[in-house]
Every structure is written in structure tokens, then in C-alpha cells.
Amino acid sequence: MANRFAVILAAGLGTRMKSKHYKVLHPVCGKPMVEHIVDNIAKLNVEQVVTVVGHGANQVKALLKEKSEFVIQEEQLGTAHAVMQAKEVLQGKEGTTLVICGDTPLITIETLEALFEQHDKLKAKATVLTAFAENPTGYGRVIRDSSGNVDKIVEHKDASDEEKKVKEINTGMYCFDNQVLFEAISEVSNENAQGEYYLTDIIEILKSKQQIVTAFQTIDFDETMGINDRVALSKAEGIMRKRINEKHMMNGVTIVDPDNTYIDTSVKIGMDTIVYPGTVIKGNTVIGENCEIGPNSELVEVTVASETSIRQSVVHESTVGSHVHIGPFAHIRPQSNIHDEVKIGNFVELKKVDFGKGSKASHLSYIGDAEVGSNVNLGCGSITVNYDGKNKALTKIEDNVFVGCNSNLIAPVTIGKGAYVAAGSTITDDVPGEALSIARARQVNKEGYVKKLNSKN
Ligand code: UD1
Ligand code: CA
């Protein structure tokens, strides 16, 4: 196998996206499009990956850090000019160079491998990956001669009416003999409709030098889609989402309504887990086996063990144990660690809480900046008063504590092991273990009060 190199074109601003962000940084199913490409290339035995970035594209560099080398294209003068920037890094090296645009995140490893293989097998100097497009508007057209060999690629804006009818398009992915590529690239001119140096012109140049130029047509146009605007972005998202959901279903996850379930590419889900409609699962979320997630739930960067249900709830940057029930309508905010067999019921908010095994907050509570032991029962309306307007303070609730309904625990405060807090208490001082603390005004009943009141009128 020849040495493999890759050049990723990612310097364009992506004007058609109408965005303040670089086009290739727009995420598709939670991962920036250019990162999809770099991650796929990493699985193709490529020795050197060079990403062409625009002037000031520090975010692209920061994203791809260890995954790529970078060259800068100060001015975006076209795709050939972009490739030219990689010359100092790659010229003279023996092998095959994959050139790929940073805006085609749906391309699969299998198709790229097949492209490399055909290129090697036919001993070609250039092989262009083509596809058949129902609507080829905007794409470069692949023009073949009478015997079916590739003649040239004509950009949409430069194409004649006859050429515009061609539905075989250039996907913007190619294999080149590395040395031949960097020799020929300086011959590309910018005499065309857009005044740009088109990489596509290199096909005609190589043909004129009697070099072997071939095309490899993939059957799946979707894979090769270039994302130039938000309409294409949403289409790509839909295609990628379908792929992700099908992968999980093939692995034994039930997704009740895949068209209405949004799972990022990095998410892992165990067997026999059921995901109900309207669920969004993002980031590096890991969900165990036999869980029930949704409907209408959002999990972001969450680890969930097995046998847990999370219904109509939002959980962010937290860990959830096994046999836990969350929701409906709970909000688990970052840095919460929920142990096994816990119940977090409706309208309960947790923030930065270690919530011990078997403990419960079943209704209408705010528990923030707290350490809750095991087998604790927080009654309806329990609140940790963690903020005095300036600082946050910690509430400690030890094992087996029972907090009665509608109690305020004013932090910093500790409720000792096994203690009881009477309903309606506002606790300002520590409660010793095993004690009953009542912190509310004693009840007074005024007998016959209404009668007296009425007799005055
Ligand atoms: C390009 C191809 C077209 C093909 C299509 C496939 C050319 C001239 N045209 O058109 O034949 O059908 O892709 O999607 O190659 N870029 C740079 N520097 C530049 C210009 C572009 O890095 O100076 C990068 C962009 O960031 C982008 C990629 O190259 O990732 C493609 O550029 P784009 O402007 O999207 O090309 P298309 O018009 O789509
Ligand atoms: Ca494009």
C-alpha cells in the first residue's frame, strides 16, 4: 500500500451560511463538521493530515489540535490555492494524497477506503470521487468523453446549458499521486466565472499531460453532500441522525420514534434501554442497560447506570446511579452525583449535590450545594437555602434523616444522622443526630374568636 496523506480544505468562511462562525465548525449531531472528517481519516492509515485553515482560524486549530497539522491560507483564492498551501509540508513525498473539503461530514470511511483502493489498483495519478445528484445545482459537473473517460470538471457557474444537464457531480474528494499533484497545481489559473483558482482544473491539466485520471462513482449521493447553507446543514443533520439512531437500534436499543429522537454522535447507550420520543441526548453521555429515557427529556454530558428511568426531565453534567427514578419534570443541574435507588420526583431541582443511596426528594424541592446521605427523606417543599445574596454555602444532611414538608435548611448547616426536622421548620443551627428539631412558632388556638369578632359589629 502506498503511503497515504490527506489535505483538508477548511479555510473558506462559508459566506452562504450567513454566520459569525467558520462554516466547518458548525456541528452536525453535536460534532463540528470538519471533526467528523478528521476522525474518519484517522481510521484510514493516513500518515500525515494537513488542514488548510484561514487567517485567524484559531478555533479550527484549537479543535483539531493533535489530530492534524495546519497550514494557513491567508486569502481564500480558491480550492487549488488552498491545496497549494500544503506544498511546503507534503511536496516531494511519495504516496497518495486524499484531498477533501471540510464541509462534507457525511462521507464514510468505507467510501474513502474504496476511493484509495481504486486509485491504487488503476495506478491513476488522479481519481475523483463522483456521485449522481438528482439536483446537481451548485456542484461541479463531471464531463466525460465519448468513451466514458473523465475529461474535465466544470463548475456550475462556468457550465454551458448542456453541461448543466449533467447529473454526475464532483464531490470535492480526490486521490492524487502526491508528487504529481504538487507539480501540476501551480499550472492552475484563475480565468473563470469566479476568478478563483479551481482545484477541479487540475483534472484537465493532468489529462493534457497524458496522465491516468479516473473517476470513482459512489452510489450514495447523501454521503457526499457539501454543506454550504443552513438548509443543507439541516438535511445533513437528518441523515446523520438516522444513521446514529439505526446504529443504536442495531445494538439493541429501542427508539420508539427515531424521527423525533436526537442523539449526538458521541453518545453510548446500553442494550434494552428504551428511548421515548422528544428526547435529546448530547455530548459524551453514557447510558446503561435497561433504562427508560424520555419522553421529552434532555441529557447533556451525563453518565447513567443501568435500570434507571428519566422521564420528562433535564439532566446536565451529572452522574446517575442504577435503579434511580427521575421525573417527571425534574431538573438535575451540573456536578450532581445521584447514587443508586434514589427517587427524584416532580418539580425537584438539584444542583451540585451528592445524593446518597436510597434517598428521596419526591416533590417540589430545591436542593443545591448539598451532601445528602443515604436513606434520607426530603419532604415535599424541602429547600436548602444555599445563597445569602453574596456567597454559596453547604448543607449536610446525614444518613437516615427525615426532613418534614416545607422546611428551609439555611446553609451552612448540618442535620445529624437519623435526626428529624419538623414540617415547616426554618433550620438555622446544626441539628444533632437522633434529635427532633422544631423551628417554627408554636400554634395558638383562640377559641370562639369568630363569634367575638361578629358581636362587635
Ligand atoms: C467545490 C468544488 C465543486 C464540488 C463541490 C463539492 C471547486 C472549485 N469546486 O465547490 O466542484 O462539486 O466543492 O462540495 O473546487 N476552501 C478553502 N479555501 C478557498 C476556497 C475554499 O479552504 O480558497 C475550502 C472551503 O472551506 C470548503 C471547501 O474548500 O470547505 C470547498 O469550498 P466551497 O466554496 O464550499 O466549494 P464549492 O463551491 O462547494
Ligand atoms: Ca461546498
Side-chain angles (χ1 to χ4, degrees):
M1 193 176 80
N3 293 331
R4 289 175 175 183
F5 311 102
V7 177
I8 302 170
L9 308 185
L13 273 176
T15 327
R16 288 166 280 181
M17 290 296 279
K18 306 238 165 71
S19 174
K20 291 197 176 101
H21 309 290
Y22 277 93
K23 171 164 82 174
V24 296
L25 292 176
H26 282 265
V28 175
C29 293
K31 183 150 118 177
M33 30 180 141
V34 68
E35 200 179 8
H36 280 284
I37 291 167
V38 175
D39 287 350
N40 279 350
I41 288 175
K43 295 177 191 135
L44 288 168
N45 297 312
V46 172
E47 280 182 24
Q48 243 180 314
V49 180
V50 182
T51 305
V52 184
V53 296
H55 181 67
N58 290 332
Q59 290 153 291
V60 182
K61 284 190 186 172
L63 174 77
L64 301 177
K65 277 187 303 251
E66 281 98 41
K67 297 182 181 176
S68 176
E69 295 172 46
F70 302 94
V71 293
I72 293 181
Q73 185 191 24
E74 297 272 353
E75 260 185 299
Q76 282 71 60
L77 302 178
T79 45
H81 181 255
V83 172
M84 189 113 80
Q85 310 309 308
K87 191 170 177 173
E88 55 188 284
V89 184
L90 291 177
Q91 74 172 333
K93 297 199 172 174
E94 236 170 79
T96 304
T97 298
L98 170 74
V99 174
I100 184 167
C101 296
D103 64 350
T104 53
L106 297 172
I107 192 70
T108 61
I109 299 162
E110 292 74 22
T111 301
L112 291 176
E113 184 61 46
L115 173 67
F116 269 116
E117 277 166 19
Q118 173 175 317
H119 180 82
D120 283 355
K121 206 170 87 195
L122 299 182
K123 299 194 164 47
K125 297 299 177 199
T127 305
V128 48
L129 181 68
T130 73
F132 184 83
E134 266 317 321
N135 175 13
T137 308
Y139 286 96
R141 306 299 205 282
V142 177
I143 309 300
R144 293 178 181 259
D145 64 18
S146 49
S147 41
N149 296 318
V150 180
D151 228 0
K152 58 178 177 177
I153 297 170
V154 183
E155 287 307 294
H156 181 87
K157 286 185 179 152
D158 299 279
S160 65
D161 287 346
E162 207 51 39
E163 287 165 338
K164 280 197 177 110
K165 286 184 193 147
V166 173
K167 290 188 166 181
E168 186 180 18
I169 58 108
N170 167 30
T171 64
M173 298 169 232
Y174 325 74
C175 275
F176 291 104
D177 175 292
N178 186 64
Q179 291 167 341
V180 169
L181 170 66
F182 287 107
E183 278 156 28
I185 198 139
S186 44
E187 294 181 33
V188 173
S189 85
N190 64 351
E191 283 154 27
N192 51 52
Q194 304 189 78
E196 284 184 9
Y197 295 91
Y198 292 162
L199 179 59
T200 44
D201 285 356
I202 207 159
I203 300 299
E204 224 179 337
I205 293 170
L206 294 182
K207 291 287 287 192
S208 73
K209 294 179 188 292
Q210 272 73 49
Q211 301 281 20
I212 304 175
V213 175
T214 69
F216 174 68
Q217 188 175 12
T218 145
I219 40 168
D220 187 2
F221 168 75
D222 283 352
E223 267 194 34
T224 66
M225 200 168 105
I227 297 175
N228 297 323
D229 56 34
R230 310 260 181 168
V231 175
L233 181 65
S234 83
K235 273 191 197 143
E237 180 97 19
I239 294 164
M240 182 83 75
R241 185 188 311 139
K242 189 158 179 264
R243 272 190 208 165
I244 292 169
N245 289 349
E246 283 176 2
K247 181 195 78 186
H248 288 297
M249 290 189 274
M250 295 313 282
N251 287 340
V253 177
T254 295
I255 298 180
V256 175
D257 183 3
D259 289 338
N260 190 18
T261 303
Y262 308 81
I263 303 177
D264 275 1
T265 142
S266 44
V267 170
K268 295 191 173 70
I269 308 178
M271 210 166 62
D272 288 322
T273 285
I274 304 176
V275 184
Y276 289 99
T279 295
V280 179
I281 310 177
K282 297 169 81 87
N284 293 309
T285 293
V286 181
I287 298 169
E289 294 185 357
N290 230 10
C291 292
E292 293 189 25
I293 310 293
N296 302 321
S297 293
E298 179 184 271
L299 278 65
V300 182
E301 301 283 345
V302 178
T303 304
V304 183
S306 294
E307 314 279 343
T308 282
S309 76
I310 300 177
R311 296 184 293 145
Q312 275 110 338
S313 291
V314 175
V315 186
H316 282 199
E317 296 166 47
S318 291
T319 307
V320 181
S322 69
H323 297 93
V324 170
H325 296 280
I326 294 178
F329 314 115
H331 185 188
I332 313 298
R333 291 168 52 202
Q335 298 183 54
S336 295
N337 180 17
I338 297 171
H339 294 247
D340 297 345
E341 293 162 35
V342 159
K343 180 167 185 242
I344 305 293
N346 28 214
F347 308 107
V348 173
E349 175 179 344
L350 257 50
K351 188 216 83 177
K352 207 175 176 186
V353 175
D354 194 78
F355 206 90
K357 186 176 173 191
S359 292
K360 295 186 175 81
S362 298
H363 337 263
L364 301 164
S365 278
Y366 170 69
I367 312 296
D369 300 307
E371 289 171 19
V372 177
S374 56
N375 297 314
V376 167
N377 187 57
L378 299 173
C380 175
S382 300
I383 288 172
T384 57
V385 183
N386 63 328
Y387 186 50
D388 63 8
K390 285 215 161 63
N391 300 302
K392 300 272 166 72
L394 184 74
T395 302
K396 282 190 189 170
I397 303 171
E398 295 182 355
D399 296 348
N400 305 321
V401 161
F402 181 94
V403 176
C405 291
N406 214 33
S407 296
N408 301 309
L409 309 177
I410 300 192
V413 71
T414 298
I415 316 295
K417 208 169 171 178
Y420 275 66
V421 171
S425 292
T426 292
I427 301 292
T428 51
D429 299 320
D430 289 354
V431 177
E434 312 285 323
L436 166 65
S437 182
I438 309 172
R440 62 185 186 219
R442 202 172 263 281
Q443 182 169 327
V444 178
N445 291 341
K446 302 205 168 172
E447 296 279 352
Y449 174 79
V450 175
K451 216 174 183 178
K452 253 190 248 168
L453 194 73
N454 289 344
S455 68
K456 276 187 187 159
N457 298 325

